[in-house]
Amino acid sequence: MKNPIFQNSYIIGVISAVLIFGSLVECRVPSSSNKIDYTAINCRKHSAILTDFGAVGDGKTLNTKAFNSAITKLSQYANDGGATLIVPPGKWLTGSFNLTSHFTLFLQKDAVILASQNEADWPQLPVLPSYGRGRDAPAGRYSSLIFGTHLTDVIITGNNGTIDGQGSVWWEKFKKGEMKLTRPYMIELMYSDQIQISNLNLINSPYWFVHPIYSSNIIVNGLTIRAPLDVPNTDGVNPDSCTNVRIEDNYIESGDDCIAIKSGWDQYGIKFGKPSEHIIIRRVTCISPKSAMVAIGSEMSGGVQDVRIEDLTAINTESAVRIKSAVGRGGFVKDIFVKGLNLNTMKYVFWMTGSYGDHPDSKFDPKALPEINGINFRDVTAKNATIAGKLEGISNDPFTGICISNATIEMFVKKDSDIEMDAKKVKLPWNCTDVAGVTSNVVPQPCALLPDKKVDCPFPTDKLAIENVQFKTCSI
Ligand SMILES: *[C@@H]1O[C@H](CO)[C@@H](O)[C@H](O)[C@H]1NC(C)=O
Ligand SMILES: *[C@@H]1O[C@H](CO)[C@@H](O)[C@H](O)[C@H]1NC(C)=O
Ligand SMILES: *[C@@H]1O[C@H](CO)[C@@H](O)[C@H](O)[C@H]1NC(C)=O
Ligand SMILES: *[C@@H]1O[C@H](CO)[C@@H](O)[C@H](O)[C@H]1NC(C)=O
Ligand SMILES: *[C@@H]1O[C@H](CO)[C@@H](O)[C@H](O)[C@H]1NC(C)=O
């Protein structure tokens, strides 16, 4: 016999072989029922489990050190096939931690990452250069729960594991005006390329949920995002000065915009000058009674162009695809294409605002006017709407190239019991100022500034590069 174990004694040999083989089966070769397949832009050669780094999933032990040491350890595999950090079932309390390149954070089903509610667990970051100050407070901002900068190829996914921002303490402090720094985002990636965030439940972010900024080649899909409908600034997905972005198959309910496309704020955004462009958003369902399904702006000073929005459903939102800007913003919003909106219970179906205000400071340039041009909508069905269109450009700076075709809006009908309501409260279906464009086959009849021209508003037939990115099947 070649195996030395079998040389001394047959019996000891058999027992040892069983033990060794048994332990091999247990630890090294997961049975096929333990294998989890998932889809990702890249699979990884190496992996580790959070508990290997001393983490305790009791919902009380702080695991920031475990996350940091796990990711530091796994970062050594960046140039050797990359690595996955597996977050197993349990409640993993943590402060902010940083990701690394060629890395996947994988949350198993029943894994819950809980964000610490103690400000001491949140390092401070300098203000974003395209904003010039923190959004809540001028001084600066807290790092996001999951943060990364200057990364390549980073994936945050799972089979519906949960990230719980435990935002209530932050929302209360904000409402009381007690924030000295800006509240943390749930996930922020800066100056990064090749990002995937998918197949997770994200709940109760202190501030925006998903914030890629100055980044490219981003896929956000299969997310269920939930925050209470009355809390401030819990936007779902906010691409900010990003290019090549694909946001699809997500369900979002929030107190603020489900999706907001941004590119910096007034003079800071103009100077930084990085647009958000080549973005596709499709098959998203949104509930947001106080905000938009998709907002463009109000921070759009670096410009927003080539945005394609397709097959979205809104269930009780304030508006659908809303453009927000102001004197002092500069920048542009152009080549926006929207096709296939299914809208139910909505205050404004078409809404553009040129007087949003909300400046970082008093040093904005009153001559910096935004250019809003080429905003196309087609195939829109709305039920129970209060106002069909409120399109308000800027005097001496009209919003142009607006096109709306094949839109049917059923207005909110007052019940018999409401009939004696004050006649002045009955809103006009359309109110347009400082805008120019055309419509076709739109009911109720639009305002005179958008005459009927028998057109089909365009929607691009080419594909964005990010649409051609295919998922691979990976397993852990
Ligand atoms: C995370 O990255 C930021 C920005 O580079 C840095 O300030 C911070 O110290 C990092 N945190 C850790 C735990 O390494
Ligand atoms: C994850 O949740 C979504 C939405 O609830 C569901 O459609 C999907 O089947 C779930 N996936 C897994 C792997 O549980
Ligand atoms: C008009 O839009 C509806 C969806 O709102 C769509 O089903 C229909 O095919 C469109 N009609 C044309 C002629 O494109
Ligand atoms: C219609 O919208 C109003 C608010 O404008 C809301 O109170 C009502 O419940 C909605 N009706 C339906 C059937 O959704
Ligand atoms: C129409 O919109 C303008 C600009 O927002 C506003 O000043 C005006 O009061 C509105 N008119 C009606 C009838 O609501």
Side-chain angles (χ1 to χ4, degrees), residues 6-216:
F6 287 83
Q7 277 166 5
N8 299 332
S9 143
Y10 176 76
I11 293 185
I12 290 171
V14 168
I15 291 168
S16 308
V18 166
L19 287 176
I20 290 167
F21 189 64
S23 69
L24 278 178
V25 169
E26 238 174 65
C27 304
R28 294 292 151 89
V29 192
S31 68
S32 58
S33 64
N34 288 339
K35 204 181 100 179
I36 297 164
D37 285 338
Y38 67 100
T39 53
I41 52 172
N42 281 308
C43 304
R44 312 297 183 196
K45 193 163 134 192
H46 303 271
S47 69
I49 298 187
L50 186 62
T51 43
D52 293 346
F53 300 86
V56 181
D58 60 2
K60 295 188 184 110
T61 309
L62 192 67
N63 293 299
T64 318
K65 279 200 182 113
F67 275 104
N68 277 321
S69 45
I71 295 167
T72 302
K73 173 85 194 312
L74 294 175
S75 67
Q76 68 180 305
Y77 299 118
N79 298 317
D80 176 28
T84 303
L85 177 63
I86 299 166
V87 182
K91 290 191 169 153
W92 311 96
L93 182 70
T94 182
S96 161
F97 60 88
N98 290 351
L99 301 181
T100 187
S101 291
H102 305 289
F103 175 79
T104 299
L105 182 69
F106 188 95
L107 278 73
Q108 290 190 335
K109 194 166 162 42
D110 303 320
V112 182
I113 294 180
L114 285 177
S116 164
Q117 294 185 318
N118 180 353
E119 283 180 25
D121 298 327
W122 299 82
Q124 203 174 322
L125 289 181
V127 298
L128 293 164
S130 57
Y131 283 72
R133 52 162 284 175
R135 211 64 186 72
D136 281 350
R141 59 202 203 104
Y142 290 105
S143 179
S144 57
L145 177 64
I146 300 179
F147 179 73
T149 184
H150 296 89
L151 302 182
T152 304
D153 177 16
V154 51
I155 300 172
I156 305 169
T157 189
N159 47 350
N160 288 348
T162 297
I163 305 176
D164 181 350
Q166 304 207 94
S168 54
V169 289
W170 302 93
W171 307 328
E172 289 314 312
K173 276 184 204 163
F174 172 74
K175 283 181 191 160
K176 288 187 198 145
E178 288 172 2
M179 292 306 306
K180 301 213 166 51
L181 299 174
T182 299
R183 286 166 284 162
Y185 306 113
M186 179 172 278
I187 298 171
E188 181 178 66
L189 293 162
M190 289 174 68
Y191 303 108
S192 294
D193 183 42
Q194 298 176 55
I195 296 168
Q196 176 191 340
I197 302 169
S198 56
N199 301 329
L200 295 169
N201 291 306
L202 308 182
I203 59 174
N204 298 334
S205 178
Y207 198 60
W208 303 348
F209 278 86
V210 177
H211 185 223
I213 182 163
Y214 321 137
S215 292
S216 52

Side-chain angles (χ1 to χ4, degrees), residues 390 392 428 431 433:
K390 180 165 174 61
E392 177 218 341
L428 283 181
N431 180 1
T433 48

